[in-house]
Amino acid sequence: MLVAAIFVIFPFCMAFAAVSDMVSMTIANRVSILLIAAFAALAPFTGLAWPEIGMHFAAGAAVLAVTFVLFAIGGMGGGDAKLLAATAVWFGFSLGLVNYLVISALAGGVLTIALLIFRKSNLSMLAGNNVLLRHFADEKAGIPYGIALGLGGLLTYGETPLMQWAIARLAG
């Protein structure tokens, strides 16, 4: 059951955040809360020592501090900041966290360029009434960065200690 929870919760939250941001330009607080609560509930059963678990929460706090500043100056949305921090809890201070941040940043850059091109195209007029694409077509809308964060999280999830533990349990 523990392995199943590890395989389902994080990917579900990443996918939900991406789709939610695409459709409504918001990422619900419950996604970040679920990620943090799930890590807190699962980590002790995977062999992580309490000091290690504390360092994972410290990584989340550090990322939240940086993203809060970015939010305060208008550089990112509040849901994005909270999702980044909650995701950082799963990675802890590790190369996996760096990979997640870099991949998410690259995906966000590609997404931004693609949306800017799309919004100037004739296709955007057709997409304006589509519930899934209306924010993509709206030149006044921001960038649904949750898509990039979700993609980055899914691509690097295997680098989290919990996922590595779950894979090891299945392998042996």
Side-chain angles (χ1 to χ4, degrees), residues 103-114:
I103 289 172
S104 295
L106 291 173
V110 170
L111 175 65
T112 300
I113 291 168

Side-chain angles (χ1 to χ4, degrees), residues 23-77:
V23 173
S24 68
M25 296 294 291
T26 59
I27 301 171
N29 288 337
R30 66 180 166 261
V31 175
S32 298
I33 292 168
L34 177 58
L35 281 169
I36 293 168
F39 179 84
L42 298 171
F45 298 105
T46 64
L48 283 178
W50 289 110
E52 288 178 276
I53 293 170
M55 290 305 291
H56 279 259
F57 281 99
V63 169
L64 183 61
V66 172
T67 57
F68 180 78
V69 171
L70 292 171
F71 167 71
I73 63 173
M76 77 174 5

Side-chain angles (χ1 to χ4, degrees), residues 49-169:
W50 289 110
E52 288 178 276
I53 293 170
M55 290 305 291
H56 279 259
F57 281 99
V63 169
L64 183 61
V66 172
T67 57
F68 180 78
V69 171
L70 292 171
F71 167 71
I73 63 173
M76 77 174 5
D80 301 328
K82 290 177 272 190
L83 181 62
L84 270 162
T87 304
V89 169
W90 280 71
F91 284 95
F93 289 113
S94 67
L95 185 57
L97 177 59
V98 174
N99 290 338
Y100 166 66
L101 295 173
V102 168
I103 289 172
S104 295
L106 291 173
V110 170
L111 175 65
T112 300
I113 291 168
L115 282 181
L116 291 174
I117 292 169
F118 177 74
R119 288 174 178 170
K120 297 292 182 196
S121 75
N122 291 333
L123 290 174
S124 69
M125 292 175 26
L126 297 173
N129 293 326
N130 183 299
V131 69
L132 294 176
L133 301 176
R134 71 176 184 260
H135 296 297
F136 288 178
D138 185 359
E139 288 191 29
K140 295 177 184 165
I143 304 298
Y145 207 76
I147 296 169
L149 298 177
L151 179 63
L154 291 171
L155 290 175
T156 57
Y157 181 45
E159 298 178 46
T160 64
L162 270 62
M163 186 60 164
Q164 291 173 351
W165 178 87
I167 290 170
R169 294 284 293 197

